[in-house]
């Protein structure tokens, strides 16, 4: 960790285009000696939290967590870009899963209609569609799918749960296919 902290301090000094002595002179007269900085960079001294906080107070564009080696986001803009990328990826997944749900529901309705036509029944309303779902024994998988989809919209970690619901739903549709083939 101390080597990482030293490398990051070295990177800051280089990015600021300053010597060690210039880097350690702060506008209010506070000073971090060139010897202290050199000791940190050479591995003779550790970069303490107190020293890191002092540096960050005068170089606020850098992040304390990055300097201490707690994460890999040097600036606040880097951290925000990472968070935005996570949000974008989350919503792409939600959009993909929504499209999958719509396709599965369309496929299921089509199969139920085919099943109903073979049995001489016409589905005219949502109640009859619900009864057909029950008759085809996939109602539980549809309910689970919808419940898990609604849960996953609020939490990225729940996408795994949603993915499992999709597998269960596909199994239900596959089971229905086998049932309708026999009739």
């Amino acid at each position: 960790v101390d080597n990482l902290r030293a490398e990051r301090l070295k990177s800051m000094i280089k990015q600021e285009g300053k010597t060690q002595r210039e880097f350690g002179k702060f506008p209010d007269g506070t000073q971090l000696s060139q010897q202290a900085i050199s000791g940190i960079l050479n591995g003779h001294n550790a970069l303490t939290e107190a020293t890191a906080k002092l540096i960050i107070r005068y170089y606020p564009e850098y992040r304390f967590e990055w300097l201490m080696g707690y994460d890999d986001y040097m600036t606040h803009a880097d951290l925000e870009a990472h968070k935005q990328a996570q949000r974008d990826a989350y919503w792409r997944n939600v959009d993909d899963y929504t499209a999958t749900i719509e396709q599965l529901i369309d496929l299921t309705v089509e199969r139920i209609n085919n099943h109903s036509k073979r049995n001489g029944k016409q589905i005219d309303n949502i109640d009859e569609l619900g009864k057909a779902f029950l008759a085809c024994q996939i109602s539980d998988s549809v309910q689970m799918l919808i419940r898990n989809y609604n849960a996953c919209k609020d939490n990225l970690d729940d996408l795994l749960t949603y993915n499992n619901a999709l597998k269960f739903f596909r199994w239900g549709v596959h089971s229905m296919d086998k049932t309708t083939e026999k009739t």
Side-chain angles (χ1 to χ4, degrees):
V1 172
D2 287 335
N3 288 338
L4 178 61
R5 291 175 182 175
E7 286 300 315
R8 290 183 173 186
L9 178 59
K10 187 177 189 177
S11 176
M12 282 178 69
I13 294 168
K14 184 177 180 180
Q15 282 199 322
E16 292 299 316
K18 295 182 176 184
T19 65
Q20 292 176 16
R21 185 177 312 277
E22 293 168 337
F23 185 82
K25 288 186 180 180
F26 304 121
D28 67 356
T30 305
Q31 218 169 297
L32 186 59
S33 72
Q34 188 270 327
Q35 290 83 5
I37 293 173
S38 180
I40 294 167
L41 296 178
N42 293 328
H44 300 299
N45 301 326
L47 176 63
T48 65
E49 286 194 9
T51 303
K53 286 178 182 178
L54 176 70
I55 292 169
I56 295 301
R57 182 172 30 173
Y58 295 101
Y59 296 96
E61 61 273 18
Y62 299 96
R63 294 182 57 253
F64 170 79
E65 295 81 3
W66 172 79
L67 182 56
M68 293 300 292
Y70 300 151
D71 69 28
D72 294 324
Y73 309 105
M74 179 189 293
T75 66
H76 298 283
D78 293 340
L79 178 61
E80 189 52 41
H82 171 72
K83 288 179 180 180
Q84 185 61 48
Q86 283 184 317
R87 285 189 294 268
D88 291 347
Y90 169 78
W91 286 113
R92 274 192 305 277
N93 283 335
V94 169
D95 289 344
D96 290 346
Y97 285 128
T98 300
T100 302
I101 287 173
E102 290 168 354
Q103 291 170 354
L104 286 172
I105 289 173
D106 289 346
L107 178 64
T108 303
V109 169
E110 178 183 328
R111 289 177 180 178
I112 287 173
N113 279 326
N114 290 339
H115 176 74
S116 297
K117 285 177 187 174
R118 281 194 287 270
N119 293 326
K121 296 179 182 176
Q122 178 67 33
I123 296 175
D124 294 324
N125 60 47
I126 194 71
D127 290 331
E128 290 176 5
L129 181 62
K131 289 175 187 174
F133 270 105
L134 287 172
C136 294
Q137 299 177 336
I138 62 169
S139 177
D140 290 342
S141 61
V142 171
Q143 289 173 7
M144 181 179 175
L145 177 71
I146 292 168
R147 189 171 47 252
N148 284 298
Y149 170 72
N150 287 332
C152 87
K153 287 191 298 188
D154 299 327
N155 188 338
L156 186 60
D157 293 336
D158 286 339
L159 287 176
L160 179 60
T161 302
Y162 176 72
N163 210 8
N164 290 335
L166 279 179
K167 288 177 188 172
F168 185 68
F169 183 77
R170 287 184 179 123
W171 173 82
V173 171
H174 181 70
S175 297
M176 185 185 74
D177 281 345
K178 288 184 177 182
T179 303
T180 57
E181 286 172 6
K182 293 177 185 174
T183 58

